[in-house]
Each structure stands twice: as C-alpha cells, then as structure tokens.
Amino acid sequence: MMHNNGHSRIRRAHALKAALLASALVAGLTAACDSDDSSSPPATPPLQQDGGVESGTQPREWWNLGFKDELYNEITLFYLGQTWHQAADVGEVLETAARVDELDPKSWTREWRKTAERLGLLAQESERNGHPLSASHAYLRSATYYRAALHHYDGPMTTEGAHEIRELAQREVDSFGKYLTLSKSPCEAVKIPYENTTLPGYFCKSSVATGRAPTLLYMQGRDGWAEDGRFIADEAMKRGYHVLMFDGPGQGQVVRLQGLPFRPDWDKVVTPVVDYAISRAEVDPAYVGLMSLSMGGFLGPRAATQEHRLRVLIPNPGVIDWSANMENALDPALLALVDTDEAAFNAKMDELMKRNPLLNWGIPDFMWHHGVDTPAKLIKDLRRYKMTPAEVGNITAHTLVVNAQAEGRGQAQELFDAIKSKKDYLLFTAAETAQFHDQPGAEAIATHRILEWLEGSFSKAP
C-alpha cells in the first residue's frame, strides 16, 4: 500500500491497538515500572486478522514460534527470513531455537554458536575435498548463525563477554569472507576511509549495469550487520543497481571489532561512505541512494538532513525521535531523576533489572552500543537522537517512508509529515505477512515493493 505526496495522508480504517513484536525492551520497562511483580512482562495482545478462522476459535499466530519472550520470537523469525536468500535453512534455525533455554541468559548465544561451528566444520570439510560451492553455502550459513549468536548476547560489558564477542565477530567475518571467495560472489569486502580509521563494507557490482550505474547504500540499525543486506543486494543487482552495504559506529563489525559506539551526527558517517562510493568508476555520482533499517530509520534521515548528494532515501521504519522509544516507557517520576539525581535513577534501574531478565539484558546491551556505563548516561545520550520538523525539512532526497501495521518502534507518519522534498509512503500489512518491524520473515514482499518503488524513482531518465 503506497501513497505519494499528492495524495491525502494515509488513514487506516482499523488502527491497531498493539504490536505483537513491538520493542521488547520498551515492553519490559513499562511492565517493570508499573508493577512490583518480578515475573516476565505479559505478552502483548496478538494482532487481529480478518477471515480464515471459524467462529468461536482463536486464530493461529503464524509468527509465534513457541517462546514466552516475544523478543526471542522476533529474532528467530528474522533469521528464518534469511532462508529466502539461502543465508540460513529452516530446519537449522528452528532446531537451534528449540534448544534455547529461556531461563538461562547464556543459552541463546551458546546454542547458536554450536550451530555456527557445526556448519563451519562442514564447510571446511567440503573445501578440503574440492567442493568449493558446497563449502561456500555452508560458510554463508555459518556466518549467519554467528551473527545470530551475537544478536542477544548476555554480558557484553564484562571482560569475558568482550573476549567472546570479538572471537565470534571475527569468525563471522572470516566465514562470510570465505563465502564471497568460494562462491565467486559479485560482492567484495572493502574498507571505507573514515576519520582516522576505516569502516567495513561490501561493494556488490551488478553484472547487468552498463557504464556508471545507480548505487544503493545499505545499512542496518542497532542489532543488524551489513551482511544482513544480502537480500536487498541480490535483488537490486538483478535490476541494474550496484549496492554498497556498510557498518557504521555502534553497528556490526565496527562496535565488536573496532570498539566504536553510536554517534547521533550520522552525516559524519554517511558522507565518507558517499565519498567512497562516487570514487569508484562503476558508480554514477548523480544516482546514489540510502536504505536504512530499524534504528537506521532515524540515522538515515538524520544523515540526509546534511548529506544532499543522496538522490533517494528509504528509512524503514521512519523515525524522527529515537529516544522516545525508551523515554515514553519510563514513569515520569523515575525519568525526572535522570536530571536531578543520577545515582538514585541508576539505583532504581538496577533494582528493576534484577527483577526483570529482559531489562537485565536490554539495558547493558544499549549502554554497550552507546559507549556509556550507567543507565542515566544512556538516557542522556539517547536524547541526542532526535530531530525537529525543521531539521527534517532540510532533507532533499526523494524519500520513501516505510511503515508496518504492527510497527512498534517508528514514527513514520511524523517523519513523512515533516519532509518537504518529494516523498512517498509505503505501509506493509498483515495481509502480506509483512506487518512487523522491518518485515522479518517477509523479505520477498519487502524487496518486491521497495525495489519496485526504487525502479520508478531512481532509474536514469531515458
């Protein structure tokens, strides 16, 4: 469902009251702040769908994979979705997820690591025996499962955790590199000059492009890696676009192997990436776009307020104030302590974290990504991740603002309204099985709709 700038603002006849896969951290904060109950927060009411269910029966939730913790469901669905472009396999994902013990914080990483290591050994055996293509497939899936192992990591700020994170991240990079080499992939690992270091990326060269061609920059958000963009890169290359997938500070390889946390002035990240892209002979400098997911739904537009060489921009979902995801979940009296008594705020958050396993993972994980060491410092840092409507008005790129019916972390309509340049609005729906945050498990329809828009908005004039 897409609306352009000339149409009336999008309206839905039946607004959804709850998102099944809304931010688990936000849900945990709300439950913990509203109640003294030390149990896990209640599950969010399921999304209602029309049709296909006999009267008096409950609809089967196709997205419910059996976890009590909806965050585990969401992440598992994300990796199931990677089967569409052969970066995972259904049985491997479901069997690994079935081994996870929700009562053991270390279990998620341990079980995904086992699967990644098993596939790595299989890949090595195939490589030794002269089967490079088979080996490349196994290396690719092994890399995916190493990323999965790090997606919900317990204790990132401990010495032991820092060591294991670096170990697993390096194994991921090595496995993905092996896949690229053995599969003769059109994607090559690149180093993008950035301040006094470099950013890792993958430049994927379209075999059907002629001359200097349009190029799409791709980045994830808080939890994803550049490598997760293969589903977009593969389909975009078929359509004649080059793709440059990259990690910035706080993301993927950069936070895990280089120790660089997030920064709010994301134009300082994207501008060097654009510089690198247009330095390549394959890239038409007049046709460079940016697609950004999850937290990237804020970071991408924030960069585009300053970086005006971007011809198109695709934030999924659109976000104008990333800090609101956490601040809106906190009791106002508790939140006020951030500015009046940081020690008291930190003490109360520590108490909440001890009672709630979700928070006990989520808060340290957020702090690690942002390079801070207390919850109060995290809140203050997150407050820098917001834009005013006037700032959004500086975006010049033709923008596709993406939203989803059960989206729990975006502000797509607010961003859409503030954009003054040419713009379109895309809503993914439950009927398409694409209603959740970043469309996990629905990569086929996601690429279908987004790349059709790209073909209509990004192609060179004849």
Side-chain angles (χ1 to χ4, degrees), residues 23-268:
S23 171
L25 177 59
V26 170
L29 281 168
T30 303
C33 292
D34 289 347
S35 170
D36 289 333
D37 183 2
S38 61
S39 62
S40 299
T44 309
L47 179 71
Q48 298 301 310
Q49 302 188 64
D50 295 329
V53 179
E54 296 181 5
S55 176
T57 66
Q58 290 295 321
R60 289 179 294 167
E61 300 169 345
W62 63 265
W63 59 83
N64 190 338
L65 301 175
F67 287 109
K68 293 179 181 179
D69 184 340
E70 292 301 337
L71 184 59
Y72 282 148
N73 271 321
E74 180 178 4
I75 300 174
T76 304
L77 186 59
F78 173 79
Y79 288 104
L80 273 174
Q82 298 216 13
T83 62
W84 187 63
H85 51 105
Q86 297 184 322
D89 203 6
V90 173
E92 291 168 356
V93 172
L94 292 178
E95 192 273 338
T96 305
R99 299 198 312 261
V100 172
D101 179 0
E102 293 186 71
L103 299 179
D104 179 359
K106 305 291 185 183
S107 177
W108 177 273
T109 296
R110 184 173 61 246
E111 298 308 324
W112 284 101
R113 175 174 184 156
K114 288 179 183 177
T115 300
E117 290 174 343
R118 178 175 63 81
L119 267 294
L121 292 174
L122 177 64
Q124 292 171 18
E125 180 182 2
S126 294
E127 188 178 7
R128 284 194 305 269
N129 292 334
H131 304 290
L133 186 58
S134 295
S136 74
H137 292 323
Y139 276 125
L140 175 60
R141 302 202 308 281
S142 179
T144 298
Y145 303 144
Y146 278 124
R147 295 198 302 278
L150 290 166
H151 203 136
H152 194 292
Y153 190 86
D154 181 70
M157 302 176 75
T158 65
T159 301
E160 178 184 0
H163 176 78
E164 185 175 28
I165 285 172
R166 186 173 186 84
E167 177 194 4
L168 296 180
Q170 189 60 58
R171 288 189 181 191
E172 190 281 341
V173 173
D174 293 343
S175 297
F176 196 80
K178 281 282 194 177
Y179 152 71
L180 294 178
T181 300
L182 295 173
S183 68
K184 299 181 180 179
S185 169
C187 300
E188 61 171 310
V190 298
K191 297 293 184 182
I192 302 166
Y194 167 74
E195 297 188 343
N196 60 349
T197 183
T198 60
L199 298 176
Y202 300 94
F203 187 84
C204 303
K205 184 178 179 180
S206 172
S207 62
V208 300
T210 57
R212 286 181 172 260
T215 299
L216 181 66
L217 313 179
Y218 176 95
M219 67 177 215
Q220 274 278 344
R222 197 181 77 91
D223 299 308
W225 298 50
E227 292 89 325
D228 292 318
R230 265 195 67 252
F231 78 104
I232 285 290
D234 286 355
E235 296 303 312
M237 285 190 291
K238 295 174 186 175
R239 292 161 170 82
Y241 304 113
H242 304 312
V243 178
L244 175 55
M245 309 179 292
F246 69 96
D247 286 331
Q251 300 175 320
Q253 296 181 43
V254 179
V255 69
R256 293 172 176 89
L257 295 178
Q258 297 172 250
L260 299 180
F262 278 117
R263 59 186 297 176
D265 52 347
W266 206 251
D267 58 292
K268 298 296 193 298

Side-chain angles (χ1 to χ4, degrees), residues 12-18:
R12 297 197 295 272
H14 302 288
L16 298 169
K17 295 181 179 179

